[in-house]
Coordinates of all heavy atoms in Angstrom, one line a residue:
M1 N -1.7 -5.4 0.5 CA -2.4 -5.2 -0.7 C -1.6 -4.4 -1.7 O -1.7 -4.7 -2.9 CB -3.7 -4.4 -0.4 CG -4.6 -4.3 -1.6 SD -5.1 -5.8 -2.4 CE -6.1 -6.6 -1.2
A2 N -0.8 -3.5 -1.3 CA 0.0 -2.7 -2.2 C 0.9 -3.5 -3.1 O 1.0 -3.3 -4.3 CB 0.8 -1.6 -1.4
P3 N 1.6 -4.5 -2.5 CA 2.5 -5.4 -3.4 C 1.7 -6.1 -4.5 O 2.3 -6.4 -5.6 CB 3.1 -6.4 -2.5 CG 3.1 -5.7 -1.1 CD 1.8 -4.9 -1.2
R4 N 0.4 -6.4 -4.3 CA -0.3 -7.1 -5.3 C -0.8 -6.2 -6.5 O -1.2 -6.6 -7.5 CB -1.6 -7.7 -4.7 CG -1.2 -8.8 -3.7 CD -2.4 -9.5 -3.2 NE -3.2 -10.2 -4.2 CZ -4.5 -10.5 -4.1 NH1 -5.1 -10.2 -3.0 NH2 -5.1 -11.0 -5.1
L5 N -0.7 -4.9 -6.3 CA -1.1 -3.9 -7.3 C 0.0 -3.4 -8.2 O -0.3 -2.7 -9.2 CB -1.8 -2.7 -6.6 CG -3.1 -3.0 -5.8 CD1 -3.5 -1.8 -5.0 CD2 -4.2 -3.4 -6.8
V6 N 1.2 -3.7 -7.9 CA 2.3 -3.1 -8.7 C 3.2 -4.2 -9.2 O 3.1 -5.4 -8.7 CB 3.2 -2.1 -7.8 CG1 2.3 -0.9 -7.4 CG2 3.8 -2.8 -6.6
A7 N 4.1 -3.9 -10.1 CA 5.1 -4.8 -10.6 C 6.1 -5.1 -9.5 O 6.3 -4.4 -8.6 CB 5.9 -4.1 -11.8
P8 N 6.7 -6.3 -9.6 CA 7.6 -6.8 -8.5 C 8.7 -5.8 -8.2 O 9.1 -5.6 -7.1 CB 8.2 -8.1 -9.0 CG 7.1 -8.6 -9.9 CD 6.5 -7.4 -10.5
R9 N 9.2 -5.1 -9.2 CA 10.3 -4.1 -9.0 C 9.9 -2.9 -8.2 O 10.7 -2.1 -7.7 CB 10.9 -3.7 -10.3 CG 10.1 -2.8 -11.2 CD 10.8 -2.4 -12.4 NE 10.1 -1.3 -13.1 CZ 9.1 -1.5 -13.9 NH1 8.7 -2.7 -14.2 NH2 8.5 -0.5 -14.5
D10 N 8.6 -2.6 -8.1 CA 8.0 -1.4 -7.5 C 7.4 -1.7 -6.1 O 6.8 -0.8 -5.5 CB 7.0 -0.8 -8.3 CG 7.6 -0.2 -9.6 OD1 8.7 0.2 -9.6 OD2 6.8 -0.3 -10.7
I11 N 7.6 -2.9 -5.6 CA 6.9 -3.3 -4.3 C 7.4 -2.4 -3.2 O 6.6 -1.9 -2.4 CB 7.2 -4.8 -4.0 CG1 6.3 -5.6 -5.0 CG2 6.8 -5.1 -2.6 CD1 6.6 -7.1 -4.9
A12 N 8.7 -2.2 -3.0 CA 9.2 -1.4 -1.9 C 8.6 0.0 -2.0 O 8.2 0.6 -0.9 CB 10.7 -1.3 -1.9
L13 N 8.6 0.6 -3.1 CA 8.0 2.0 -3.3 C 6.5 2.0 -2.9 O 6.0 2.9 -2.2 CB 8.2 2.5 -4.7 CG 7.6 3.9 -5.0 CD1 8.3 4.9 -4.1 CD2 7.8 4.2 -6.5
A14 N 5.8 1.0 -3.4 CA 4.3 0.9 -3.0 C 4.1 0.8 -1.6 O 3.2 1.4 -1.0 CB 3.7 -0.3 -3.8
V15 N 4.9 0.0 -0.9 CA 4.7 -0.2 0.6 C 5.1 1.1 1.3 O 4.4 1.5 2.2 CB 5.5 -1.4 1.1 CG1 5.5 -1.4 2.6 CG2 5.0 -2.7 0.5
S16 N 6.2 1.8 0.9 CA 6.6 3.0 1.5 C 5.5 4.1 1.3 O 5.3 4.9 2.2 CB 8.0 3.4 1.0 OG 7.9 3.8 -0.3
V17 N 4.9 4.2 0.1 CA 3.9 5.2 -0.1 C 2.7 4.9 0.8 O 2.1 5.8 1.3 CB 3.5 5.2 -1.6 CG1 2.2 6.0 -1.8 CG2 4.6 5.8 -2.4
T18 N 2.3 3.6 0.9 CA 1.2 3.3 1.7 C 1.4 3.6 3.2 O 0.6 4.3 3.8 CB 0.9 1.7 1.6 OG1 0.7 1.4 0.3 CG2 -0.3 1.3 2.5
V19 N 2.6 3.3 3.7 CA 2.9 3.6 5.1 C 3.0 5.2 5.3 O 2.6 5.7 6.3 CB 4.2 2.9 5.5 CG1 4.7 3.4 6.9 CG2 4.0 1.4 5.6
G20 N 3.6 5.8 4.3 CA 3.7 7.3 4.3 C 2.3 7.9 4.3 O 2.1 9.0 5.0
G21 N 1.4 7.3 3.6 CA 0.0 7.9 3.6 C -0.7 7.7 4.9 O -1.4 8.6 5.3
V22 N -0.4 6.6 5.6 CA -1.0 6.5 7.0 C -0.4 7.5 7.9 O -1.2 8.2 8.7 CB -0.8 5.0 7.5 CG1 -1.1 4.9 8.9 CG2 -1.5 4.0 6.6
A23 N 0.9 7.7 7.8 CA 1.5 8.8 8.7 C 1.0 10.2 8.4 O 0.7 10.9 9.3 CB 3.0 8.7 8.6
A24 N 0.9 10.5 7.1 CA 0.4 11.8 6.7 C -1.0 12.0 7.1 O -1.4 13.1 7.5 CB 0.5 12.0 5.2
A25 N -1.9 11.0 7.0 CA -3.3 11.1 7.4 C -3.4 11.4 8.9 O -4.2 12.1 9.4 CB -4.0 9.8 7.1
S26 N -2.5 10.8 9.7 CA -2.5 11.0 11.1 C -2.0 12.4 11.4 O -2.6 13.1 12.3 CB -1.5 10.0 11.8 OG -2.0 8.7 11.7
V27 N -1.0 12.9 10.7 CA -0.4 14.2 11.0 C -1.4 15.3 10.6 O -1.6 16.3 11.3 CB 0.9 14.4 10.3 CG1 1.4 15.9 10.3 CG2 2.0 13.5 10.9
V28 N -2.1 15.1 9.5 CA -3.1 16.1 9.0 C -4.4 15.9 9.6 O -5.1 16.9 9.9 CB -3.1 16.1 7.4 CG1 -4.2 17.0 6.9 CG2 -1.8 16.4 6.8
G29 N -4.9 14.7 9.7 CA -6.2 14.4 10.1 C -6.6 14.8 11.6 O -7.7 15.3 11.8
V30 N -5.6 14.6 12.5 CA -5.9 14.9 13.9 C -6.1 16.4 14.1 O -7.2 16.8 14.6 CB -4.8 14.3 14.8 CG1 -5.0 14.8 16.2 CG2 -4.9 12.8 14.8
P31 N -5.3 17.2 13.6 CA -5.5 18.7 13.7 C -6.8 19.1 13.0 O -7.5 20.0 13.4 CB -4.3 19.4 13.1 CG -3.2 18.3 13.2 CD -3.9 17.0 13.0
L32 N -7.0 18.6 11.8 CA -8.2 18.9 11.0 C -9.5 18.5 11.7 O -10.4 19.3 11.8 CB -8.2 18.3 9.6 CG -9.3 18.7 8.7 CD1 -9.2 20.2 8.4 CD2 -9.1 17.9 7.4
G33 N -9.5 17.3 12.3 CA -10.6 16.9 13.1 C -10.8 17.7 14.3 O -12.0 18.0 14.7
T34 N -9.8 18.2 15.0 CA -9.9 19.0 16.1 C -10.4 20.4 15.7 O -11.3 21.0 16.4 CB -8.5 19.2 16.8 OG1 -8.0 17.9 17.2 CG2 -8.6 20.1 18.0
L35 N -10.0 20.9 14.6 CA -10.5 22.2 14.1 C -12.0 22.1 13.8 O -12.8 23.0 14.2 CB -9.7 22.6 12.8 CG -10.2 23.9 12.1 CD1 -9.7 25.1 13.0 CD2 -9.6 24.0 10.7
V36 N -12.4 21.1 13.1 CA -13.9 20.9 12.8 C -14.7 20.7 14.1 O -15.7 21.3 14.2 CB -14.1 19.7 11.8 CG1 -15.6 19.4 11.7 CG2 -13.5 20.0 10.5
S37 N -14.1 19.9 15.0 CA -14.8 19.7 16.3 C -14.9 21.0 17.1 O -16.0 21.2 17.7 CB -14.0 18.6 17.1 OG -14.6 18.4 18.3
N38 N -13.9 21.8 17.1 CA -14.0 23.0 17.9 C -14.9 24.0 17.2 O -15.6 24.8 17.9 CB -12.6 23.7 18.0 CG -11.7 22.9 19.0 OD1 -12.2 22.2 19.9 ND2 -10.4 23.1 18.9
A39 N -15.0 24.0 15.9 CA -15.8 25.0 15.2 C -17.3 24.6 15.2 O -18.2 25.4 15.3 CB -15.3 25.2 13.8
F40 N -17.6 23.3 15.0 CA -18.9 22.8 14.7 C -19.4 21.7 15.7 O -20.5 21.3 15.6 CB -19.1 22.3 13.3 CG -18.7 23.3 12.3 CD1 -17.5 23.2 11.6 CD2 -19.5 24.4 12.0 CE1 -17.1 24.2 10.7 CE2 -19.2 25.4 11.1 CZ -18.0 25.2 10.4
G41 N -18.6 21.2 16.6 CA -18.9 20.2 17.5 C -18.4 18.8 17.1 O -18.1 18.6 15.9
W42 N -18.3 17.9 18.0 CA -17.7 16.6 17.7 C -18.6 15.8 16.8 O -18.1 15.0 16.0 CB -17.5 15.8 19.0 CG -18.7 15.4 19.8 CD1 -19.3 16.1 20.7 CD2 -19.4 14.2 19.6 NE1 -20.4 15.4 21.2 CE2 -20.5 14.2 20.5 CE3 -19.3 13.1 18.8 CZ2 -21.4 13.1 20.6 CZ3 -20.2 12.0 18.9 CH2 -21.2 12.1 19.8
R43 N -19.9 16.0 16.8 CA -20.8 15.2 15.9 C -20.5 15.6 14.4 O -20.5 14.8 13.5 CB -22.2 15.5 16.2 CG -22.7 14.8 17.5 CD -24.1 15.0 17.8 NE -24.5 14.4 19.0 CZ -24.5 14.9 20.2 NH1 -24.0 16.1 20.3 NH2 -24.9 14.2 21.3
A44 N -20.2 16.9 14.2 CA -19.9 17.3 12.8 C -18.5 16.7 12.4 O -18.4 16.4 11.2 CB -19.8 18.8 12.8
A45 N -17.6 16.6 13.3 CA -16.3 16.0 12.9 C -16.5 14.6 12.5 O -15.9 14.1 11.5 CB -15.3 16.2 14.1
F46 N -17.3 13.8 13.3 CA -17.5 12.4 13.0 C -18.3 12.3 11.7 O -18.0 11.4 10.9 CB -18.2 11.7 14.2 CG -17.2 11.2 15.2 CD1 -16.9 12.1 16.2 CD2 -16.7 10.0 15.1 CE1 -16.0 11.7 17.2 CE2 -15.8 9.5 16.1 CZ -15.4 10.4 17.1
A47 N -19.3 13.1 11.5 CA -20.1 13.1 10.3 C -19.2 13.4 9.0 O -19.4 12.7 8.0 CB -21.3 14.0 10.4
T48 N -18.3 14.4 9.2 CA -17.4 14.7 8.1 C -16.5 13.5 7.8 O -16.3 13.2 6.6 CB -16.6 15.9 8.4 OG1 -17.5 17.0 8.7 CG2 -15.7 16.3 7.3
L49 N -16.0 12.9 8.8 CA -15.1 11.7 8.6 C -15.9 10.6 8.0 O -15.4 9.9 7.1 CB -14.5 11.3 10.0 CG -13.6 10.1 10.0 CD1 -12.4 10.3 9.1 CD2 -13.2 9.7 11.4
A50 N -17.1 10.3 8.4 CA -17.9 9.2 7.9 C -18.2 9.5 6.4 O -18.1 8.6 5.5 CB -19.2 9.1 8.7
G51 N -18.6 10.7 6.1 CA -18.9 11.1 4.7 C -17.6 10.9 3.8 O -17.7 10.4 2.7
G52 N -16.5 11.4 4.3 CA -15.2 11.2 3.6 C -14.9 9.7 3.4 O -14.4 9.3 2.3
A53 N -15.1 8.9 4.4 CA -14.8 7.5 4.3 C -15.7 6.8 3.2 O -15.2 6.0 2.4 CB -15.0 6.8 5.6
V54 N -17.0 7.2 3.2 CA -17.9 6.6 2.2 C -17.4 7.0 0.8 O -17.4 6.2 -0.2 CB -19.3 7.1 2.4 CG1 -20.2 6.8 1.3 CG2 -19.9 6.4 3.7
L55 N -17.1 8.3 0.6 CA -16.6 8.8 -0.7 C -15.3 8.1 -1.1 O -15.1 7.7 -2.3 CB -16.4 10.3 -0.7 CG -17.7 11.1 -0.7 CD1 -17.3 12.6 -0.5 CD2 -18.5 10.9 -1.9
L56 N -14.4 7.9 -0.2 CA -13.1 7.2 -0.5 C -13.4 5.8 -0.8 O -12.8 5.3 -1.8 CB -12.2 7.3 0.8 CG -10.9 6.7 0.6 CD1 -10.1 7.3 -0.5 CD2 -10.1 6.8 1.9
A57 N -14.2 5.1 -0.1 CA -14.5 3.7 -0.4 C -15.1 3.5 -1.8 O -14.8 2.6 -2.6 CB -15.5 3.1 0.6
A58 N -16.0 4.4 -2.2 CA -16.6 4.4 -3.5 C -15.6 4.7 -4.6 O -15.5 4.0 -5.6 CB -17.7 5.4 -3.6
G59 N -14.7 5.6 -4.3 CA -13.6 5.9 -5.3 C -12.7 4.7 -5.4 O -12.2 4.4 -6.5
L60 N -12.3 4.0 -4.3 CA -11.5 2.9 -4.4 C -12.1 1.7 -5.2 O -11.5 1.0 -5.9 CB -11.1 2.4 -3.0 CG -10.1 3.4 -2.3 CD1 -9.9 2.9 -0.8 CD2 -8.8 3.4 -3.0
L61 N -13.4 1.5 -5.0 CA -14.1 0.5 -5.7 C -14.1 0.7 -7.2 O -14.0 -0.2 -8.0 CB -15.6 0.4 -5.2 CG -15.8 -0.3 -3.9 CD1 -17.2 -0.2 -3.4 CD2 -15.3 -1.8 -3.9
L62 N -14.2 2.0 -7.6 CA -14.2 2.4 -9.0 C -12.8 2.3 -9.6 O -12.6 2.0 -10.8 CB -14.8 3.7 -9.2 CG -16.3 3.8 -8.9 CD1 -16.7 5.3 -9.0 CD2 -17.1 3.0 -9.8
A63 N -11.7 2.7 -8.8 CA -10.4 2.9 -9.4 C -9.5 1.7 -9.3 O -8.7 1.5 -10.2 CB -9.7 4.0 -8.6
L64 N -9.7 0.8 -8.3 CA -8.8 -0.3 -8.2 C -9.3 -1.5 -9.0 O -10.5 -1.7 -9.1 CB -8.7 -0.7 -6.7 CG -8.0 0.2 -5.8 CD1 -8.1 -0.3 -4.3 CD2 -6.6 0.4 -6.2
P65 N -8.3 -2.2 -9.6 CA -8.7 -3.4 -10.3 C -9.2 -4.6 -9.4 O -8.8 -4.6 -8.3 CB -7.4 -3.8 -11.1 CG -6.4 -3.3 -10.2 CD -6.9 -2.1 -9.5
R66 N -10.0 -5.5 -10.0 CA -10.4 -6.7 -9.2 C -9.2 -7.6 -9.2 O -8.6 -7.8 -10.3 CB -11.6 -7.4 -9.9 CG -12.8 -6.5 -9.8 CD -14.0 -7.3 -10.2 NE -14.3 -8.4 -9.3 CZ -15.1 -8.4 -8.2 NH1 -15.6 -7.2 -7.9 NH2 -15.3 -9.5 -7.5
L67 N -8.8 -8.1 -8.1 CA -7.7 -9.0 -7.9 C -8.2 -10.4 -7.6 O -9.1 -10.6 -6.9 CB -6.8 -8.6 -6.8 CG -6.1 -7.2 -7.0 CD1 -5.3 -6.8 -5.7 CD2 -5.2 -7.2 -8.2
P68 N -7.5 -11.5 -8.2 CA -7.9 -12.8 -7.9 C -7.6 -13.1 -6.4 O -6.7 -12.6 -5.8 CB -7.1 -13.7 -8.8 CG -5.9 -12.8 -9.2 CD -6.4 -11.4 -9.1
R69 N -8.4 -14.0 -5.9 CA -8.2 -14.5 -4.5 C -6.8 -15.2 -4.4 O -6.6 -16.0 -5.2 CB -9.3 -15.4 -4.0 CG -9.2 -15.8 -2.6 CD -10.4 -16.6 -2.2 NE -11.7 -16.0 -2.4 CZ -12.3 -15.3 -1.4 NH1 -11.8 -15.3 -0.2 NH2 -13.5 -14.7 -1.7
P70 N -6.0 -14.9 -3.4 CA -4.7 -15.6 -3.3 C -4.9 -17.0 -3.0 O -5.8 -17.4 -2.3 CB -3.9 -14.8 -2.2 CG -5.0 -14.1 -1.5 CD -6.1 -13.9 -2.4
E71 N -4.0 -17.9 -3.5 CA -4.1 -19.3 -3.3 C -3.6 -19.6 -1.8 O -2.9 -18.8 -1.2 CB -3.1 -20.0 -4.2 CG -3.6 -19.9 -5.7 CD -2.7 -20.7 -6.6 OE1 -2.0 -21.6 -6.1 OE2 -2.7 -20.4 -7.8
N72 N -4.0 -20.7 -1.3 CA -3.6 -21.1 0.0 C -2.1 -21.3 0.0 O -1.5 -21.9 -0.9 CB -4.2 -22.4 0.4 CG -5.7 -22.3 0.7 OD1 -6.2 -21.2 1.0 ND2 -6.5 -23.3 0.7
P73 N -1.4 -21.0 1.1 CA 0.1 -21.2 1.2 C 0.3 -22.7 1.1 O -0.5 -23.5 1.5 CB 0.5 -20.7 2.5 CG -0.6 -19.7 2.9 CD -1.9 -20.2 2.2
A74 N 1.5 -23.1 0.6 CA 1.8 -24.5 0.4 C 1.7 -25.2 1.8 O 2.2 -24.7 2.8 CB 3.2 -24.6 -0.2
G75 N 1.1 -26.4 1.7 CA 1.1 -27.2 2.9 C -0.1 -27.1 3.8 O -0.4 -27.8 4.7
T76 N -0.9 -26.0 3.5 CA -2.1 -25.8 4.4 C -3.3 -26.6 3.9 O -4.2 -27.0 4.7 CB -2.5 -24.3 4.5 OG1 -2.8 -23.9 3.1 CG2 -1.4 -23.5 5.1
G77 N -3.4 -26.9 2.6 CA -4.4 -27.7 2.0 C -5.8 -27.1 2.4 O -6.0 -25.9 2.4
D78 N -6.7 -28.0 2.8 CA -8.1 -27.6 3.1 C -8.3 -27.8 4.6 O -9.4 -28.2 5.0 CB -9.0 -28.4 2.2 CG -10.3 -27.7 2.0 OD1 -10.5 -26.6 2.5 OD2 -11.2 -28.3 1.4
R79 N -7.4 -27.6 5.4 CA -7.5 -27.9 6.8 C -7.7 -26.7 7.6 O -7.2 -25.6 7.3 CB -6.2 -28.7 7.3 CG -6.0 -30.0 6.5 CD -4.7 -30.5 6.9 NE -4.7 -31.1 8.2 CZ -4.9 -32.4 8.5 NH1 -5.1 -33.2 7.5 NH2 -4.9 -32.9 9.7
T80 N -8.4 -26.7 8.7 CA -8.6 -25.6 9.6 C -8.2 -26.0 11.0 O -8.2 -27.1 11.3 CB -10.1 -25.2 9.6 OG1 -10.9 -26.3 10.0 CG2 -10.6 -24.7 8.2
A81 N -7.9 -25.0 11.8 CA -7.4 -25.2 13.1 C -8.6 -25.0 14.1 O -9.3 -24.0 14.0 CB -6.2 -24.3 13.5
D82 N -8.7 -25.9 15.1 CA -9.6 -25.7 16.2 C -9.0 -24.7 17.2 O -7.8 -24.5 17.2 CB -9.9 -27.0 16.9 CG -10.9 -27.9 16.3 OD1 -11.6 -27.4 15.4 OD2 -10.9 -29.1 16.6
P83 N -9.8 -24.1 18.0 CA -9.2 -23.2 19.0 C -8.3 -24.0 20.0 O -7.4 -23.5 20.6 CB -10.5 -22.7 19.8 CG -11.6 -22.8 18.8 CD -11.3 -23.9 17.9
S84 N -8.6 -25.3 20.1 CA -7.7 -26.1 21.0 C -6.4 -26.4 20.4 O -5.5 -27.0 21.0 CB -8.4 -27.5 21.2 OG -8.6 -28.2 20.0
G85 N -6.2 -26.0 19.1 CA -4.9 -26.3 18.4 C -4.9 -27.5 17.5 O -3.9 -27.7 16.8
E86 N -5.9 -28.3 17.6 CA -6.0 -29.5 16.7 C -6.4 -29.1 15.3 O -7.1 -28.1 15.1 CB -7.0 -30.5 17.3 CG -6.6 -31.0 18.6 CD -7.7 -31.9 19.2 OE1 -8.5 -32.5 18.4 OE2 -7.7 -32.2 20.4
T87 N -5.9 -29.8 14.3 CA -6.3 -29.5 13.0 C -7.3 -30.6 12.5 O -7.2 -31.8 12.9 CB -5.2 -29.5 12.0 OG1 -4.4 -30.7 12.1 CG2 -4.2 -28.3 12.3
R88 N -8.2 -30.2 11.7 CA -9.2 -31.2 11.2 C -9.6 -30.8 9.7 O -9.5 -29.6 9.3 CB -10.5 -31.2 12.0 CG -11.1 -29.8 12.1 CD -12.3 -29.9 13.1 NE -12.7 -28.5 13.4 CZ -13.6 -27.8 12.7 NH1 -14.1 -28.2 11.6 NH2 -13.9 -26.6 13.1
G89 N -10.0 -31.7 8.9 CA -10.4 -31.5 7.6 C -11.8 -30.9 7.6 O -12.6 -31.0 8.6
R90 N -12.2 -30.2 6.5 CA -13.5 -29.6 6.4 C -14.5 -30.6 6.0 O -14.5 -31.4 5.2 CB -13.5 -28.5 5.5 CG -12.9 -27.3 6.0 CD -13.1 -26.1 5.1 NE -12.3 -25.0 5.6 CZ -12.4 -23.8 5.2 NH1 -13.2 -23.5 4.2 NH2 -11.6 -22.9 5.7

């Protein structure tokens, strides 16, 4: 998603910031979750995480622009694959 939000010259930076954010969230989030869990119990840690996720989702909905749906890759057309590996038209 990050490459679709920035100019082509900034794609590498956008991807690196995204991956860095995931790593930072792991490094900070695990000890913070452990701290909340030890102080208030595991239910409080999960409730805090759930509340933060809801707030973050609302913020992203407000802050990010609407993007058009990507087109089908060339050659795929309107065909779908069966679990058996066969392709068929819709």
Side-chain angles (χ1 to χ4, degrees):
M1 185 57 64
R4 295 182 61 201
L5 294 170
V6 297
R9 69 177 193 276
D10 296 327
I11 289 175
L13 178 62
V15 171
S16 67
V17 167
T18 303
V19 172
V22 171
S26 297
V27 169
V28 173
V30 171
L32 186 60
T34 302
L35 179 72
V36 171
S37 178
N38 286 338
F40 303 105
W42 67 269
R43 288 181 181 89
F46 276 88
T48 303
L49 179 62
V54 168
L55 291 175
L56 180 62
L60 289 174
L61 284 173
L62 294 172
L64 292 177
R66 292 190 65 90
L67 297 174
R69 186 179 298 265
E71 295 181 19
N72 289 338
T76 59
D78 206 3
R79 302 172 73 95
T80 58
D82 278 343
S84 64
E86 298 178 19
T87 57
R88 58 184 165 86
R90 287 188 185 187

